[in-house]
Amino acid sequence: MEKTKIILDCDPGHDDAVAIILAGKNPKIDLLGITIVSGNQTLDKTVRNALNVTQHLEIDVPVYGGCSEPMVRKKVVAGDIHGESGLDGPVFPPLERKAEPEHAVNFIIKTLMESEGDITVVTTGPMTNLAMAMRMEPNIVPKIKQIVLMGGAIANGNVSPAAEFNIMADAEAAYVCFTSGRPMTMVGLDVTRKVLCYPEIVERMGRIGNRASKLFVDLMGHFCKTQKEVFGWEGGPLHDPVTLAYLIDPSVLKVKPMNVRIDIRSTESYGRTNCDPFDYLHLPHTADVAMDIDVERFWDIIEENIRLYG
Ligand code: RIB
Ligand code: CA
């Protein structure tokens, strides 16, 4: 079976942790490295969280710390959702794993430059690391097979009326990536808000009974509580794993090519992904944007991948 080579760039983060679960053992995915960015919490915390998850689940993949600040704007975090640690809820054994000494941006550059152009870059946090890599070494751009990101929305945002967190947390980085000319699939809030992790889903995954199952339950215990407090939802939207589910089974999403531009100029709409699904502006299509998701298939993929942990 042809494996999809990926670099997963993330800001764990509860839903990032579930994305790591999907990427960690799936036979269709060759996870070359996990690069970390500040986003849901500060970099020291998001690195620690990634090390805890990979150590606990025995995912033997290197973790690289990346950018601790956005390219231009002032840093923001999402402690209201992910807690002070960035991964409140689960309790992990003493952490022994260490991050690699190499900076994430240098790992991205080196790995892409040495590749045959067959690597997919998946981002589930602010796009700072990938954008900085593109600026430091422009020759990596044609080497990127495709970018699959969780971020943005055709409709309204989740941290402002206009913007979704990953884009707004570093809109300039998103702008660099979205203007790179590489094939992009944008998994936005329009579909991730359809995969709400209701109590019955948590119970279903909890019945599997392995270490990943217990971690999923502990993660959702916090994530769903804060999502209810902040947004009033009965289940937390499981944003980030939708990217991996799409790579594992592309039929899970319906995507549409369209022009997408990142607003970095305005104040009120800073970080908006201006999507043009009806080609009003007759501009070149720059991304495949997720329009719908097979919710049942998505939860089946989550269950199938949790079961891979023995
Ligand atoms: O807006 C949702 C995104 O922001 C997810 O990636 C979540 O982890 C946070 O990073
Ligand atoms: Ca994230």
Side-chain angles (χ1 to χ4, degrees):
M1 171 200 312
E2 176 82 1
K3 286 192 170 215
T4 301
K5 289 181 181 176
I6 75 166
I7 293 171
L8 174 57
D9 189 79
C10 54
D11 62 336
H14 292 71
D15 51 335
D16 303 78
V18 180
I20 293 172
I21 289 175
L22 264 62
K25 302 282 185 197
N26 190 281
K28 292 182 181 177
I29 301 291
D30 182 1
L31 181 57
L32 303 176
I34 301 174
T35 51
I36 308 299
V37 67
S38 79
N40 284 321
Q41 261 300 350
T42 53
L43 182 69
D44 57 319
K45 296 175 180 176
T46 53
V47 168
R48 180 177 180 78
N49 295 336
L51 291 170
N52 267 321
V53 170
T54 51
Q55 173 181 286
H56 187 57
L57 296 182
E58 297 175 347
I59 298 171
D60 187 17
V61 171
V63 172
Y64 299 84
C67 295
S68 60
E69 299 286 336
M71 293 178 86
V72 175
R73 62 156 295 158
K74 188 171 169 302
K75 176 165 59 187
V76 288
V77 295
D80 58 334
I81 297 291
H82 299 276
E84 188 48 37
S85 73
L87 208 66
D88 282 15
V91 176
F92 294 99
L95 179 59
E96 283 151 21
R97 277 206 75 185
K98 297 265 184 283
E100 302 300 312
E102 189 176 19
H103 192 283
V105 172
N106 291 328
F107 167 75
I108 291 169
I109 291 170
K110 179 170 69 68
T111 307
L112 288 171
M113 287 307 289
E114 290 172 357
S115 78
E116 303 295 317
D118 55 350
I119 296 175
T120 294
V121 180
V122 180
T123 65
T124 64
M127 303 179 84
T128 318
N129 288 336
L130 182 55
M132 289 297 286
M134 288 182 179
R135 285 296 186 258
M136 274 178 69
E137 181 43 87
N139 291 318
I140 67 166
V141 173
K143 287 272 196 174
I144 300 169
K145 179 182 176 186
Q146 62 172 333
I147 300 167
V148 179
L149 70 128
M150 191 281 138
I154 298 173
N156 60 310
N158 62 354
V159 284
S160 79
E164 176 277 328
F165 178 81
N166 285 340
I167 307 297
M168 187 164 129
D170 194 342
E172 284 76 11
Y175 180 92
V176 168
C177 295
F178 273 77
T179 54
S180 69
R182 298 313 294 154
M184 293 189 87
T185 299
M186 181 183 115
V187 177
L189 297 173
D190 317 280
V191 298
T192 65
R193 281 172 167 151
K194 292 183 178 178
V195 284
L196 300 182
C197 192
Y198 292 116
E200 54 268 26
I201 295 286
V202 179
E203 284 154 28
R204 169 180 168 184
M205 305 309 167
R207 285 194 293 272
I208 298 169
N210 62 21
R211 193 173 279 196
S213 154
K214 169 94 177 53
L215 177 58
F216 183 90
V217 171
D218 293 346
L219 286 165
M220 292 302 107
H222 176 86
F223 184 66
C224 297
K225 181 167 72 62
T226 56
Q227 290 282 353
K228 181 167 172 62
E229 286 162 1
V230 175
F231 295 104
W233 286 324
E234 287 311 318
L238 218 42
H239 306 289
D240 294 337
V242 178
T243 56
L244 267 297
Y246 175 66
L247 288 172
I248 291 165
D249 178 359
S251 73
V252 74
L253 288 181
K254 202 171 98 199
V255 300
K256 181 175 185 179
M258 63 185 77
N259 179 266
V260 180
R261 285 164 302 132
I262 309 296
D263 189 335
I264 56 174
R265 300 268 181 260
S266 77
T267 45
E268 281 205 358
S269 298
Y270 173 85
R272 175 157 182 72
T273 49
N274 279 310
C275 302
D276 188 2
F278 304 110
D279 277 329
Y280 293 130
L281 303 177
H282 305 295
L283 293 171
H285 293 166
T286 52
D288 286 346
V289 176
M291 304 295 284
D292 204 357
I293 185 167
D294 180 339
V295 175
E296 196 178 323
R297 177 68 190 123
F298 173 75
W299 294 122
D300 287 347
I301 291 169
I302 297 288
E303 178 176 352
E304 288 160 15
N305 281 273
I306 289 176
R307 289 188 181 282
L308 293 175
Y309 286 80

